[in-house]
Amino acid sequence: MVVQDQETTYGQLVDRVARWRGALIDHGLRPGATVGLLAGNSDAFVVGYLAVLSAGLIAVPLNPQSPPAELVRELEAVSCEAMIVGPFGVATWSQIDAASLGIKHVFHADDGVLDAGQATAIVPVERDAIACLLFTSGTAGSPKAAMLTHGNLWASLVSMISAQPHIRDEPQVALAVIPLFHVFGLSVVINLSMFLGSKMVLANYEAPARTAELVRLHGVTQLAGPPALWRALLDEPGLVPADFVTLSRAISGAAKLDPSIALGLRDRLAIDLREGYGLTETCATVTSSIGTDAPLGSVGLIMPGVEARIVDEDGDDVLVGDTGELIVYGDMLSPGYWQDEEATAQTRTADGWLKTGDLANVDDDGFISIVDRVKDLIIVSGFNVHPGEVESVLNHDPSVAEAGVIGIADPATGEAIVAYVVPAEGHVIDQAQLLNACAEQLARYKVPRRIVSVSELPKTSVGKIRRRDLDRNISDQ
């Protein structure tokens, strides 16, 4: 593992994880306790994640760029007993009152407490024991903590390896510029690298030129990220094919990829970018086009160990080429949302299949294409945003009578958020003031790109906002 030119061998990593695991146990944390990780792409995140899981505890990866108010809401939802705070989470954490949240222990990665622990053996767990809780936006609105079991994580690994068995025989170097707290980074970078014994290079939100430099410097073979990452590399002047000559696995996921990006990277930088598809609830595992001749715009074939169907509104399978909702099943599938049976039930069929909310079709060769969404979820740079969460913040402002939020296509981030607001009586909408209010309550990627003042919002006969009509109206504002 390489972090800012500091190398850690696997032997050193195993030793440090054992000491951190011992410290957690010595402080009274027992299997099933939840431990927050606020550390960015750092060695503290990797060591903390492995120590927590191997102690039988439940890891709760968190976004260090989230404003304190959002972190508080998430921590309240999962009742963390302890926190591990790394170099990229210190500033945010300093604004949070741990005691008011019932957090008994706060470990700072650089204070020596965890490193001073007594090395302790791995705590055995059952396959169905919860390994981690990852926040995602469900159809109900507010973020939900998806439960991923040790069995889910293992099934995802087996699926990835089975889909591309040759990678077990070739030395791999993975560059992590995607956030490790996101399921994409957790599954495709940390878990897969650990399984393969690969070299991991960790970096945080690097500029395109620096990303290319890291690829050259370390001989990176695997680079994964959302379309925004690949668009940035394509648009960066001065990059040449030689910068990426070692790159054998270029993976786009977490949001729909514009085929023009893949074409541009192939023609300009000789990068063979392949697209995959997965969700937090499936450990990022559903389809992959790596090693296939999938046509542009396809997310590839269903991965080994995954079952998938495309169904109509009655739950019946559609014909090849027809569009329906993609539903999936398999050992990688989360058992549901933490302490939220209602949200879990809303996303499952009667026989337990996950309703992805994505409309898809399949061709005669089995290649899946995602064409639209059933639900109102917005995906910004690979992160899920539910309109209701943003609308709730806007509706609490005294100048707003009501708000409607949608996502619009954006070449850089996949989608961008636009909010339509109806002014409260006697008020005029101040866009800057509302954007500041959102920034104080929501992660940066959830803050609207634009706020549009309107006299009314289009609604259904039962008073529900018709977001598709808002989408059509935006060009008129």
Side-chain angles (χ1 to χ4, degrees), residues 364-426:
D364 290 325
D365 297 315
F367 291 114
I368 303 286
S369 295
I370 306 298
V371 296
D372 203 349
R373 280 198 293 278
V374 175
K375 55 191 179 185
D376 291 322
L377 202 64
I378 304 167
I379 301 181
V380 181
S381 296
F383 293 97
N384 291 353
V385 183
H386 194 280
E389 187 178 4
V390 184
E391 289 166 357
S392 177
V393 173
L394 292 168
N395 286 333
H396 274 84
D397 191 280
S399 70
V400 175
E402 59 179 345
V405 169
I406 61 169
I408 61 170
D410 183 272
T413 60
E415 288 186 289
I417 298 173
V418 174
Y420 289 86
V421 295
V422 177
E425 186 174 355

Side-chain angles (χ1 to χ4, degrees), residues 28 31 36 76 101-102 109 121 162 206 210 237-238 256 277 292 307 311 324 350 375 383 389 404 421 434 456 463 466:
E76 287 175 338
L101 294 170
S162 299
E206 298 292 351
R210 175 58 176 165
K256 187 173 176 58
Y277 170 83
T292 76
E307 295 181 68
V311 300
K375 55 191 179 185
F383 293 97
E389 187 178 4
V421 295
L434 287 179
E456 62 180 6
R466 292 200 307 267

Side-chain angles (χ1 to χ4, degrees), residues 10 64 102 110 123 133 180 215 217 225 249 280 307 339 390 409 453 465:
Y10 270 94
D110 60 356
V123 176
L133 302 174
L180 296 179
V215 171
L217 182 63
R249 299 175 66 241
T280 302
E307 295 181 68
Q339 298 179 347
V390 184
S453 179
I465 298 172

